[in-house]
Amino acid sequence: MPNPTLKAPLSLDVYANSRKVGTLAELPDHRIAFEYSPEWLQSGFSISPFSLPLKSGVFIPKSYEPFDGLFGVFSDSLPDGWGALLTDRLLRSKGIDPYSLSTLARLSLIGKNGKGLLEYRPSQALKESFHTIDFDELAKECEKILDDQPSKDLDALYGLGGSSGGARPKINTFVDGEEWIIKFRTHYDSTWIGQEEFDYFTCAKSCQIEVPEFRLFPSKTSPGYFGCVRFDRSNQEKIHMVSAGALLETNYRIPNLDYEILLKLTWLLTNDMEEVIRMFRLACFNVFSHNRDDHAKNFSFLYKDGRWRLSPAYDLTWSSSFGGEHATTIHGNGKNPGPVDLQQAASSIGIPSKAAQTIIQKTKANVEKMLKNTLQKHRPH
Ligand SMILES: Nc1ncnc2c1ncn2[C@@H]1O[C@H](COP(=O)(O)OP(=O)(O)OP(=O)(O)O)[C@@H](O)[C@H]1O
Ligand SMILES: [Mg+2]
């Protein structure tokens, strides 16, 4: 590797709030094995109940794909889309070929800056912290990066968003003492995208969907930047968060999920019908609001106070997936799902028909009002 300071580790320790969770080790075929530490076995919890139950012994992923040799829960710590682009850009600027990096080296770059609870040691994090920021300036620099132009703020952007998930440019930053995610636009987004996500969150809240605190941050060049509080942080404590794709060990880029699977997953993980109904509300909202990029990383679960819950909702916008369809189908229908498919999905997990009907009707009415009143101003539907 050209940079002598960047090592290629063959093993890494996984930590959670200063407690050792276990150890990752690369096998000769590049799959990455995991073993819980004795102390975590005594007083920890399963970080991914279906593939890594809390028991002694070495766990080995079945195959190198889809997570570059990792179990999904660790792959969730790696950036995708925007964060991965920044990482590769920064590595190149330091004379390092991004393709030369092993999966464990990439995790060591995350160190303690990943989303959720897990941290990786020894860390080789390149990140420093950056504070004072002008959002319009940052948005402009993000566009330069997307245009493949040099940016004077590459280090700052990496520091603020290099470990974030998702495709759109974004930063993690403190606002009034709390950690927020603030999102910028990509080329295919209109300048109204921030306002649109704000409208979607407002409507989701009116449909009794739990969302994190959110805001539209002012801009001189657009209606504003959408931001929301990080729900994987609480009083600066880290909270364990796992995506549905990671729990199911499936690639979010492949549209192989159905809401019936997500409802069942929610039931198996939480054993709580209230949580299942929260997932069902989200399904209804996504169907009526045309949030079709509803892939396996756009649903997450949190482990807090000894129990699993569905996380607050996020990434709510007018969007499409492969062929304009839903990434996650509804009772098999990704193309033109509606109330009948949602009823079928509800009954597959035992949500009483009357309760499902009420949720479907209320969500449909609220969403239609929102689309009519607000979105038609800036997006022709
Ligand atoms: N409020 C939040 N608290 C904690 N983590 C969050 C929050 N909102 C989003 N995330 C995490 O950040 C990731 C990216 O966020 P989001 O999905 O909103 O971005 P995006 O770039 O629009 O995504 P996509 O690529 O799906 O379009 C999510 O997959 C989730 O893991
Ligand atoms: Mg997303």
Side-chain angles (χ1 to χ4, degrees):
M1 215 175 284
N3 183 338
T5 60
L6 199 56
K7 301 198 176 64
L10 285 177
S11 74
L12 283 180
D13 289 330
V14 184
Y15 275 79
N17 291 328
S18 307
R19 288 168 62 208
K20 186 169 167 182
V21 180
T23 302
L24 291 164
E26 185 172 330
L27 305 176
D29 66 4
H30 305 303
R31 284 182 298 163
I32 296 163
F34 175 73
E35 185 173 19
Y36 284 111
S37 71
E39 70 164 292
W40 193 264
L41 284 172
Q42 289 239 314
S43 57
F45 59 91
S46 164
I47 56 174
S48 190
F50 307 113
S51 40
L52 297 173
L54 191 64
K55 60 180 192 194
S56 58
V58 176
F59 296 90
I60 301 174
K62 284 200 193 81
S63 58
Y64 183 78
E65 298 299 343
F67 297 125
D68 297 339
L70 289 168
F71 282 103
V73 64
F74 306 115
S75 168
D76 262 5
S77 301
L78 290 171
D80 47 14
W82 173 249
L85 173 72
L86 284 179
T87 308
D88 289 0
R89 214 48 85 72
L90 192 74
L91 289 170
R92 278 191 210 285
S93 77
K94 294 182 183 302
I96 302 169
D97 174 8
Y99 291 104
S100 69
L101 253 63
S102 69
T103 307
L104 284 183
R106 283 191 179 268
L107 273 180
S108 75
L109 289 180
I110 292 295
K112 59 180 167 56
N113 300 320
K115 54 181 187 262
L117 174 68
L118 305 181
E119 300 181 353
Y120 302 90
R121 300 187 193 172
S123 160
Q124 301 191 86
L126 304 167
K127 177 172 162 164
E128 293 156 39
S129 34
F130 293 88
H131 286 295
T132 331
I133 23 172
D134 174 79
F135 293 158
D136 285 332
E137 178 69 20
L138 283 179
K140 209 166 78 197
E141 293 304 314
C142 289
E143 286 187 28
K144 281 193 198 160
I145 303 252
L146 293 171
D147 277 341
D148 224 358
Q149 288 173 23
S151 163
K152 63 178 173 43
D153 290 335
L154 178 59
D155 286 273
L157 286 174
Y158 179 81
L160 293 162
S163 52
S164 64
R168 278 164 58 195
K170 58 182 74 58
I171 58 170
N172 294 315
T173 190
F174 279 91
V175 178
D176 304 334
E178 274 185 304
E179 288 193 56
W180 284 65
I181 295 179
I182 297 167
K183 296 169 80 171
F184 303 114
R185 62 185 278 267
T186 60
H187 289 319
Y188 52 80
D189 294 322
S190 90
T191 52
W192 284 86
I193 187 72
Q195 173 77 55
E196 181 174 314
E197 194 153 359
F198 180 86
D199 292 345
Y200 266 60
F201 267 62
T202 307
C203 180
K205 210 171 156 182
S206 79
C207 299
Q208 288 173 260
I209 290 171
E210 184 186 339
V211 287
E213 186 188 339
F214 61 99
R215 232 190 256 178
L216 199 60
F217 289 87
S219 159
K220 293 193 184 75
T221 57
S222 75
Y225 302 113
F226 176 81
C228 57
V229 169
R230 286 183 68 171
F231 47 69
D232 59 337
R233 300 286 182 267
S234 168
N235 301 323
Q236 295 179 37
E237 269 275 294
K238 295 184 171 187
I239 295 167
H240 187 52
M241 160 165 126
V242 195
S243 70
L247 284 164
L248 296 168
E249 303 291 342
T250 184
N251 187 349
Y252 75 100
R253 291 198 170 92
I254 300 170
N256 58 1
L257 276 189
D258 190 280
Y259 279 98
E260 293 184 0
I261 299 174
L262 290 182
L263 291 165
K264 190 163 178 194
L265 170 67
T266 310
W267 171 247
L268 290 176
L269 199 61
T270 67
N271 223 342
D272 184 346
M273 213 52 193
E274 288 295 316
E275 294 298 311
V276 173
I277 286 176
R278 289 180 63 214
M279 177 62 92
F280 181 66
R281 284 186 193 282
L282 195 49
C284 295
F285 183 82
N286 288 344
V287 164
F288 297 122
S289 69
H290 203 283
N291 186 16
R292 294 189 164 199
D293 194 22
D294 44 0
H295 57 72
K297 270 199 178 181
N298 278 338
F299 305 92
S300 289
F301 293 85
L302 305 175
Y303 185 86
K304 207 178 157 188
D305 303 328
R307 60 179 279 231
W308 288 95
R309 291 190 71 221
L310 180 64
S311 81
Y314 56 91
D315 207 5
L316 308 175
T317 54
W318 178 285
S319 60
S320 290
S321 185
F322 300 94
E325 300 199 9
H326 276 270
T328 297
T329 52
I330 302 90
H331 191 63
N333 187 352
K335 197 170 177 181
N336 52 8
V340 175
D341 305 288
L342 286 163
Q343 269 291 0
Q344 297 275 13
S347 89
S348 76
I349 195 71
I351 298 174
S353 161
K354 194 87 193 278
Q357 189 67 21
T358 309
I359 294 170
I360 291 168
Q361 280 170 358
K362 172 113 195 286
T363 309
K364 186 166 184 283
N366 285 5
V367 171
E368 280 172 358
K369 202 160 101 201
M370 181 267 292
L371 291 175
K372 191 154 170 274
N373 288 349
T374 60
L375 288 188
Q376 69 178 11
K377 287 186 217 140
H378 46 91
R379 186 191 280 267
H381 292 297

